[in-house]
Amino acid sequence: MNNPKLIREKYEETRDALVNKKTSLALIEDYKQRDELWRSEGIALDELRHQRKRLMPKGKPTSEQLESLKDTSEKIKVKQELVSELDKECQDLALSIPNVPDRSAPIGTSEDENVEVSKWGQLPDFKFVPKDHETLGVQLGMFDLKTAAKITGSRFVIYKNKGAKLERALINFMLDTHSKAGYEEILPPAIVHEDSMRGTGQLPKFAHDSFKIEETPYWLSPTAEVQVTNMERDNVIEEENLPRNYVAYAPCFRKEAGTYGKDIRGIFRQHQFNKVELVKFVTPETSMAELEKLTDHAETILRLLKLPYRKVSLCTGDLGFSAAKTYDLEVWFPSQEKYREISSCSNFLDFQARRALIRCRRTNNAQVEYLHTLNGSGLAVGRTFAAILENYQTNEGAIRVPDVLKSYLNLEIIKNEWE
RNA sequence: GGAGAGAUACCCAAGUGGCUUAAGGGGACGGUUUGCUAAACCGUUAGUGUUCGAAAGGGCAGCGAGGGUUCGAAUCCCUCUCUCUCCGCCA
């Protein structure tokens, strides 16, 4: 949720920034109008209540007093209903207005206008036509999509043998690396309450992206961002305890509605995938610097794995609903001759904190204010798996094990057992 | 799944319709006294949300959550959530 004062006091500026993020103008105008009405009616209601308090005698009221009390209470009741309705309308509208993009986010309408910030690594120079990760993985018996489709459905995968071990090694490697960098390790529930989904902005607008568990208020979490950010929901954190840095592994579940026909090869886009997530709670003045740090920590994984990647700054039209600024990390996929997203690192400013009521208390004056939240994938494990297969393949169709994973796997190379 | 007991402020806790502006205690913080510490005594302690205000400072909400009854609800009624104890089942 945005600070309501932004729309009240800096209306033109905020409106234009939101329109850059493809927000409907009607929605913004409607909200502004409702908000004004809600405030003026709210003031009237408070005054009536104040009046009733003054009229209230200490003991039993006389019949005369009773008359005016009844009268006031009746007015309060009517006004209360109006204000409650306006309040709900404002809340609903406010919840569907996205975060205002930061000034540093490039203005644009689609991912084509994202701006490349940096590039790292040497693209592999194969002396043969590189295979895609599905071909490699299936040949090497590392995963099985057909059987997964039988037991569950499409866009699910069974990791097997060396594949299962590689997936597990990657999770451990990522957790270990981030732990050493000072992140506190979390292993959260995979299922979350709808209140948590609302806190981080997945609800109400993006209900169609996640799986709801029937007849319960529970959802399969689409990202550990939900669990970890909501750990501090309704809390006030002392400034001296900031920043709080967490790293969490969790399976993630997404409907991927509207992606039929996209990325149908392999394990790139799945309904269930593993992800290691970084989450930070920080003071407002440090959040932009913390975004740089967080992104660098995610990049560290790619550099240690020696996977070529680039970093792009998302343009306003491509920014996620809750984000004010986002860097995507894109790893090189030789079979597609493209960089593809493997991590998304965002600064939400106080947008999530305001929804989820996460605040900090300043050390010097004990003032309470909303803090800033950030998160980023560090990294999406399945996509890292796929990128390793493609970038580390040999002309015999084997996979060289990246140096940093050798101790996790006790292997130099992954190849067919019978060779 | 069954039975019972709870939820009040930082903690403990009183409170069965108006005298509650939520008692009392602990802790914390500030002060007096003091060579220092402790004790004693005095004082402060409702965080938060929201709104009005340039500010100082007001108003309103709030006793697990949401509804209801009433002129008036921590208190009465309904629904829900969570915690604890016991039984059953279970990795």
Side-chain angles (χ1 to χ4, degrees), chain A residues 169-181:
Chain A
L170 281 169
I171 295 167
N172 283 333
F173 162 66
M174 290 178 193
L175 288 172
D176 289 346
T177 306
H178 294 309
S179 292
K180 275 179 214 150

Side-chain angles (χ1 to χ4, degrees), chain A residues 326-337:
Chain A
T326 298
Y327 292 119
D328 270 8
L329 302 179
E330 299 179 339
V331 70
W332 180 251
F333 274 84
S335 72
Q336 303 179 20
E337 296 187 306

Side-chain angles (χ1 to χ4, degrees), chain A residues 68-283:
Chain A
S68 75
L69 281 171
K70 275 186 181 172
D71 183 55
T72 311
S73 285
E74 188 51 39
K75 283 184 191 156
I76 288 174
K77 200 175 180 184
V78 172
K79 191 67 82 179
Q80 169 77 68
E81 269 164 31
L82 175 64
V83 171
S84 302
E85 197 165 311
L86 285 169
D87 188 48
K88 193 181 177 310
E89 284 172 14
C90 281
Q91 288 295 320
D92 289 350
L93 289 172
L95 285 175
S96 57
I97 297 175
N99 199 354
V100 178
D102 187 72
R103 288 168 187 281
S104 66
I107 290 170
T109 54
S110 77
E111 66 177 304
D112 303 330
E113 290 171 83
N114 293 344
V115 173
E116 183 178 295
V117 178
S118 64
K119 256 186 194 173
W120 185 92
Q122 279 271 289
L123 301 189
D125 181 22
F126 294 114
K127 304 281 187 267
F128 54 93
V129 179
K131 294 173 179 156
D132 71 29
H133 74 271
E134 177 172 342
T135 308
L136 291 161
V138 171
Q139 269 178 5
L140 292 166
M142 296 176 81
F143 55 81
D144 180 344
L145 293 159
K146 260 193 174 158
T147 310
K150 180 170 86 181
I151 61 170
T152 306
S154 66
R155 291 215 196 279
F156 286 89
V157 64
I158 298 169
Y159 289 105
K160 292 171 25 183
N161 304 316
K162 303 279 162 55
K165 290 187 198 306
L166 176 59
E167 182 81 0
R168 185 156 58 87
L170 281 169
I171 295 167
N172 283 333
F173 162 66
M174 290 178 193
L175 288 172
D176 289 346
T177 306
H178 294 309
S179 292
K180 275 179 214 150
Y183 290 79
E184 190 178 331
E185 187 171 330
I186 300 291
L187 188 58
I191 292 174
V192 293
H193 196 275
E194 61 189 10
D195 292 346
S196 297
M197 294 281 280
R198 197 165 282 113
T200 28
Q202 280 75 23
L203 290 180
K205 235 193 146 179
F206 302 98
H208 54 273
D209 288 338
S210 295
F211 292 100
K212 167 119 207 251
I213 300 176
E214 259 187 89
E215 290 170 17
T216 71
Y218 298 150
W219 295 73
L220 295 182
S221 173
T223 162
E225 159 196 352
V226 179
Q227 290 97 313
V228 180
T229 307
N230 279 282
M231 290 198 313
E232 301 289 0
R233 178 150 47 95
D234 289 323
N235 283 351
V236 179
I237 307 176
E238 300 299 327
E239 183 182 357
E240 65 213 43
N241 294 330
L242 294 176
R244 305 230 57 147
N245 302 310
Y246 293 105
V247 57
Y249 155 71
C252 305
F253 302 86
R254 296 186 186 175
K255 277 196 178 166
E256 297 294 351
T259 62
Y260 305 112
K262 252 191 218 170
D263 301 313
I264 46 165
R265 294 282 295 161
I267 58 169
F268 189 83
R269 191 178 296 278
Q270 298 279 295
H271 287 309
Q272 174 182 340
F273 59 97
N274 294 311
K275 186 154 62 76
V276 170
E277 187 77 5
L278 302 171
V279 179
K280 278 176 179 278
F281 299 89
V282 308
T283 52

Side-chain angles (χ1 to χ4, degrees), chain A residues 348-363:
Chain A
F348 302 95
L349 306 179
D350 64 359
F351 187 84
Q352 291 181 331
R354 202 172 278 282
R355 288 179 160 231
L357 222 63
I358 309 170
R359 295 142 296 170
C360 64
R361 191 189 316 278
R362 294 294 191 175
T363 307

